[in-house]
Amino acid sequence: MFFHKFISTAFGIGYIGKGAGTVAAVVTCALWWFLQTPYTNPYLWPFLSSIFILLIGVITGDEVEKVWGKDHQRVVIDEVAGMGIALLCVPLKWPYYLMALVLFRFFDIAKPFYIRDMEVLPGGWGVMADDVLAGIYANVVLQGIILLGLF
């Protein structure tokens, strides 16, 4: 169970308490930023990492739900996955990363456009799906802003 708690809390970030989701999203932005080098594929590794985080989040979400209950506030692996998805194919420029963070947190907190409906899915899927959809919405909006040259 230690492994599942450690992963689902994003290496302990979830134990911070109030604001842990935002801290997890900020840490994800920083990691995504610093892990990109001229020698890595800027599209492949973030995509594969996001898929891996999603799958491990579903598994650990299932396990910690048995102890902590449905979508406990300590579980922030969903914010890590959602933020990673929000950053997919986003150019490595700090204003874009900041905008991705703001958009993701907006969609994650406000939960418009069927995001809240995802929470009713069973187990780890219910934990992860709302943040994945928030990340998708944030990415789509950001890609539109970039495409239109608005930011």
Side-chain angles (χ1 to χ4, degrees):
M1 185 53 74
F2 171 79
F3 171 79
H4 296 294
K5 288 181 177 180
F6 188 65
I7 296 300
S8 68
T9 61
F11 307 117
I13 292 172
Y15 288 105
I16 291 172
K18 196 157 182 76
T22 300
V23 172
V26 169
V27 169
T28 302
C29 282
L31 284 173
W32 251 233
W33 179 275
F34 289 112
L35 289 175
Q36 293 193 44
T37 70
Y39 307 107
T40 61
N41 183 316
Y43 304 109
L44 183 61
W45 81 262
F47 178 76
L48 294 176
S49 297
S50 295
I51 296 294
F52 176 75
I53 293 166
L54 170 63
L55 295 177
I56 198 84
V58 169
I59 294 166
T60 61
D62 276 340
E63 293 301 316
V64 298
E65 189 174 279
K66 296 171 187 172
V67 178
W68 288 337
K70 181 82 171 151
D71 204 0
H72 194 277
Q73 67 181 12
R74 286 188 203 124
V75 178
V76 294
I77 191 73
D78 51 340
E79 273 81 10
V80 173
M83 190 69 240
I85 290 168
L87 292 171
L88 289 176
C89 302
V90 172
L92 188 60
K93 295 183 179 181
W94 73 265
Y96 294 154
Y97 272 52
L98 181 61
M99 181 64 74
L101 175 64
V102 169
L103 286 167
F104 170 68
R105 290 307 291 156
F106 166 75
F107 285 116
D108 186 30
I109 293 167
K111 299 192 184 305
F113 311 118
Y114 303 105
I115 293 174
R116 186 168 312 281
D117 295 343
M118 298 291 108
E119 293 177 333
V120 300
L121 293 173
W125 287 108
V127 172
M128 300 299 289
D130 63 317
D131 292 273
V132 167
L133 191 54
I136 291 169
Y137 286 161
N139 189 287
V140 168
V141 170
L142 182 56
Q143 295 297 343
I145 289 170
I146 293 168
L147 185 66
L148 294 173
L150 300 176
F151 189 69

